[in-house]
């Protein structure tokens, strides 16, 4: 028994084994961190695409529904959908029916917005754009505002000199942070159906 307790040959190898095991553990952690850095953007893109696809399906679902006449204050509400987004900070904007940054310079006010009906576009802060086409009949997006009576009306309909062709070329943009609930309602104006943003 005394011989086993006094045997110190194995004790000399413990620190060396500990260093080797810690080195292996550090290598595994570094490989996992590198794999996460590679996989994270892919997973993030998949989540953004899934939210955009869900939004497009919701918008398509109301297109055949009732369109409210904003000129008639007693008209019942049109078909509505609520889009829920929680996009990461890397997304600069998401737009409906318009390309607000055709130069991809990050400035949404330096040039005319290019109408793209039936299109949902999201752009990253690095300038990369992704488009999603909405199938079916033309979908005209328009921004809404509340009038003095609290009724939502198309923003451009305030000016009676506006022509329907000008209204057809409008769109809606949600700038970063793209997070929260955003409601859209079907309205009709001069015989044309619009998908109006109520936010």
């Amino acid at each position: 028994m005394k011989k086993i307790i006094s045997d110190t040959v194995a004790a000399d190898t413990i620190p060396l084994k500990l260093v080797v095991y810690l080195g292996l553990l550090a290598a595994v952690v570094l490989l996992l961190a590198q794999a996460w850095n590679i996989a994270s953007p892919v997973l993030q893109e998949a989540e953004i695409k899934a939210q955009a696809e869900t939004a497009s399906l919701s918008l398509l679902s109301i297109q055949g529904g009732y369109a409210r006449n904003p000129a008639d204050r007693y008209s019942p509400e049109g078909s509505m959908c609520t889009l829920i987004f929680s996009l990461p900070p890397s997304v600069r904007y998401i737009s409906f029916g318009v390309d607000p940054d055709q130069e991809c310079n990050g400035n949404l006010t330096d040039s005319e917005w290019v109408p793209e009906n039936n299109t949902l576009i999201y752009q990253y802060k690095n300038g990369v754009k992704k488009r999603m086409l909405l199938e079916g009949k033309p979908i005209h997006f328009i921004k809404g505002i509340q009038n003095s009576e609290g009724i939502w009306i198309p923003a451009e309909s305030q000016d009676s000199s506006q022509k329907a062709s000008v209204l057809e070329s409008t769109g809606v943009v949600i700038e970063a942070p793209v997070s929260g609930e955003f409601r859209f309602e079907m309205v009709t104006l001069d015989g044309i159906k619009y998908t109006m943003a109520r936010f």
Side-chain angles (χ1 to χ4, degrees):
M1 184 78 157
K2 193 172 185 183
K3 187 174 181 181
I4 295 173
I5 295 173
S6 64
D7 187 8
T8 59
V9 175
D12 294 341
T13 62
I14 291 174
L16 181 60
K17 286 181 181 179
L18 185 62
V19 169
V20 170
Y21 291 145
L22 287 176
L24 288 173
L25 180 63
V28 168
V29 169
L30 286 174
L31 287 173
L32 287 174
Q34 184 64 25
W36 176 251
N37 286 339
I38 292 169
S40 181
V42 174
L43 295 173
Q44 195 175 67
E45 170 63 24
E47 177 61 28
I48 294 168
K49 187 175 181 183
Q51 289 185 43
E53 286 175 351
T54 302
S56 68
L57 290 174
S58 296
L59 290 167
L60 286 171
S61 71
I62 65 168
Q63 295 307 308
Y66 173 74
R68 174 175 62 90
N69 181 0
D72 179 6
R73 62 183 291 186
Y74 299 109
S75 177
E77 288 186 332
S79 297
M80 282 194 257
C81 70
T82 301
L83 309 183
I84 300 172
F85 290 112
S86 59
L87 301 183
S90 60
V91 176
R92 177 176 287 135
Y93 68 80
I94 188 165
S95 67
F96 304 87
V98 68
D99 184 355
D101 187 19
Q102 58 184 343
E103 297 87 9
C104 295
N105 62 5
N107 188 348
L108 306 185
T109 60
D110 65 346
S111 62
E112 292 268 334
W113 288 7
V114 178
E116 291 191 21
N117 290 329
N118 292 54
T119 306
L120 189 150
I121 301 171
Y122 55 94
Q123 183 185 39
Y124 293 97
K125 290 187 177 173
N126 64 6
V128 174
K129 284 186 200 174
K130 302 284 184 167
R131 285 177 165 74
M132 183 168 293
L133 296 176
L134 305 174
E135 299 292 328
K137 296 179 182 177
I139 301 173
H140 307 292
F141 291 95
I142 191 165
K143 183 156 179 49
I145 59 168
Q146 282 186 305
N147 64 12
S148 59
E149 299 170 351
I151 299 171
W152 283 93
I153 59 171
E156 283 79 4
S157 69
Q158 293 282 315
D159 184 0
S160 59
S161 65
Q162 281 278 349
K163 302 287 185 209
S165 61
V166 175
L167 288 174
E168 288 178 22
S169 66
T170 62
V172 177
V173 177
I174 305 170
E175 293 187 68
V178 184
S179 183
E181 294 185 359
F182 304 93
R183 181 172 287 180
F184 287 84
E185 178 188 14
M186 292 300 298
V187 296
T188 183
L189 195 61
D190 297 328
I192 299 173
K193 283 187 173 183
Y194 294 95
T195 303
M196 181 180 71
R198 291 181 51 160
F199 51 87

